[in-house]
PDB file of all heavy atoms in Angstrom:
ATOM      1  N   SER A 276     121.693 222.726 164.683  1.00 95.00           N
ATOM      2  CA  SER A 276     121.176 223.143 163.385  1.00 95.00           C
ATOM      3  C   SER A 276     121.127 224.664 163.288  1.00 95.00           C
ATOM      4  O   SER A 276     121.508 225.250 162.264  1.00 95.00           O
ATOM      5  CB  SER A 276     119.783 222.550 163.163  1.00 95.00           C
ATOM      6  OG  SER A 276     119.230 223.028 161.955  1.00 95.00           O
ATOM      7  N   ALA A 277     120.656 225.302 164.352  1.00 95.00           N
ATOM      8  CA  ALA A 277     120.557 226.765 164.361  1.00 95.00           C
ATOM      9  C   ALA A 277     121.935 227.400 164.260  1.00 95.00           C
ATOM     10  O   ALA A 277     122.124 228.416 163.575  1.00 95.00           O
ATOM     11  CB  ALA A 277     119.843 227.233 165.626  1.00 95.00           C
ATOM     12  N   THR A 278     122.912 226.811 164.918  1.00 96.00           N
ATOM     13  CA  THR A 278     124.279 227.355 164.874  1.00 96.00           C
ATOM     14  C   THR A 278     124.880 227.199 163.480  1.00 96.00           C
ATOM     15  O   THR A 278     125.552 228.113 162.982  1.00 96.00           O
ATOM     16  CB  THR A 278     125.171 226.646 165.906  1.00 96.00           C
ATOM     17  OG1 THR A 278     124.580 226.778 167.205  1.00 96.00           O
ATOM     18  CG2 THR A 278     126.565 227.258 165.925  1.00 96.00           C
ATOM     19  N   ALA A 279     124.630 226.062 162.852  1.00 94.00           N
ATOM     20  CA  ALA A 279     125.130 225.845 161.491  1.00 94.00           C
ATOM     21  C   ALA A 279     124.522 226.859 160.529  1.00 94.00           C
ATOM     22  O   ALA A 279     125.208 227.416 159.662  1.00 94.00           O
ATOM     23  CB  ALA A 279     124.809 224.426 161.034  1.00 94.00           C
ATOM     24  N   THR A 280     123.232 227.119 160.696  1.00 92.00           N
ATOM     25  CA  THR A 280     122.567 228.120 159.857  1.00 92.00           C
ATOM     26  C   THR A 280     123.167 229.498 160.095  1.00 92.00           C
ATOM     27  O   THR A 280     123.390 230.271 159.162  1.00 92.00           O
ATOM     28  CB  THR A 280     121.059 228.150 160.147  1.00 92.00           C
ATOM     29  OG1 THR A 280     120.497 226.872 159.841  1.00 92.00           O
ATOM     30  CG2 THR A 280     120.364 229.208 159.316  1.00 92.00           C
ATOM     31  N   LEU A 281     123.438 229.789 161.360  1.00 94.00           N
ATOM     32  CA  LEU A 281     124.002 231.090 161.711  1.00 94.00           C
ATOM     33  C   LEU A 281     125.408 231.257 161.130  1.00 94.00           C
ATOM     34  O   LEU A 281     125.784 232.346 160.671  1.00 94.00           O
ATOM     35  CB  LEU A 281     124.033 231.233 163.232  1.00 94.00           C
ATOM     36  CG  LEU A 281     124.129 232.652 163.819  1.00 94.00           C
ATOM     37  CD1 LEU A 281     123.027 233.534 163.271  1.00 94.00           C
ATOM     38  CD2 LEU A 281     124.056 232.596 165.332  1.00 94.00           C
ATOM     39  N   ARG A 282     126.183 230.191 161.106  1.00 93.00           N
ATOM     40  CA  ARG A 282     127.517 230.258 160.504  1.00 93.00           C
ATOM     41  C   ARG A 282     127.424 230.524 158.996  1.00 93.00           C
ATOM     42  O   ARG A 282     128.164 231.327 158.433  1.00 93.00           O
ATOM     43  CB  ARG A 282     128.283 228.946 160.746  1.00 93.00           C
ATOM     44  CG  ARG A 282     128.721 228.716 162.179  1.00 93.00           C
ATOM     45  CD  ARG A 282     129.523 227.420 162.284  1.00 93.00           C
ATOM     46  NE  ARG A 282     129.806 227.041 163.660  1.00 93.00           N
ATOM     47  CZ  ARG A 282     130.820 227.514 164.375  1.00 93.00           C
ATOM     48  NH1 ARG A 282     131.669 228.371 163.819  1.00 93.00           N
ATOM     49  NH2 ARG A 282     131.013 227.108 165.625  1.00 93.00           N
ATOM     50  N   GLY A 283     126.491 229.801 158.346  1.00 90.00           N
ATOM     51  CA  GLY A 283     126.299 230.013 156.923  1.00 90.00           C
ATOM     52  C   GLY A 283     125.818 231.409 156.614  1.00 90.00           C
ATOM     53  O   GLY A 283     126.239 232.033 155.635  1.00 90.00           O
ATOM     54  N   LEU A 284     124.948 231.912 157.470  1.00 91.00           N
ATOM     55  CA  LEU A 284     124.435 233.267 157.320  1.00 91.00           C
ATOM     56  C   LEU A 284     125.551 234.291 157.451  1.00 91.00           C
ATOM     57  O   LEU A 284     125.646 235.249 156.671  1.00 91.00           O
ATOM     58  CB  LEU A 284     123.346 233.508 158.375  1.00 91.00           C
ATOM     59  CG  LEU A 284     122.645 234.862 158.391  1.00 91.00           C
ATOM     60  CD1 LEU A 284     122.012 235.142 157.049  1.00 91.00           C
ATOM     61  CD2 LEU A 284     121.590 234.883 159.489  1.00 91.00           C
ATOM     62  N   ARG A 285     126.410 234.081 158.431  1.00 92.00           N
ATOM     63  CA  ARG A 285     127.521 235.002 158.625  1.00 92.00           C
ATOM     64  C   ARG A 285     128.436 235.032 157.404  1.00 92.00           C
ATOM     65  O   ARG A 285     128.858 236.100 156.947  1.00 92.00           O
ATOM     66  CB  ARG A 285     128.351 234.606 159.857  1.00 92.00           C
ATOM     67  CG  ARG A 285     129.368 235.659 160.262  1.00 92.00           C
ATOM     68  CD  ARG A 285     130.393 235.145 161.250  1.00 92.00           C
ATOM     69  NE  ARG A 285     131.159 236.226 161.829  1.00 92.00           N
ATOM     70  CZ  ARG A 285     132.070 236.967 161.177  1.00 92.00           C
ATOM     71  NH1 ARG A 285     132.305 236.730 159.880  1.00 92.00           N
ATOM     72  NH2 ARG A 285     132.720 237.940 161.784  1.00 92.00           N
ATOM     73  N   ALA A 286     128.744 233.849 156.868  1.00 89.00           N
ATOM     74  CA  ALA A 286     129.617 233.767 155.698  1.00 89.00           C
ATOM     75  C   ALA A 286     128.992 234.453 154.485  1.00 89.00           C
ATOM     76  O   ALA A 286     129.673 235.165 153.741  1.00 89.00           O
ATOM     77  CB  ALA A 286     129.916 232.308 155.376  1.00 89.00           C
ATOM     78  N   SER A 287     127.691 234.253 154.292  1.00 88.00           N
ATOM     79  CA  SER A 287     127.006 234.875 153.160  1.00 88.00           C
ATOM     80  C   SER A 287     127.009 236.395 153.281  1.00 88.00           C
ATOM     81  O   SER A 287     127.288 237.106 152.315  1.00 88.00           O
ATOM     82  CB  SER A 287     125.559 234.370 153.081  1.00 88.00           C
ATOM     83  OG  SER A 287     125.522 232.990 152.787  1.00 88.00           O
TER      84      SER A 287
END
Side-chain angles (χ1 to χ4, degrees):
S276 176
T278 304
T280 299
L281 200 54
R282 289 183 188 276
L284 181 57
R285 190 194 192 290
S287 295

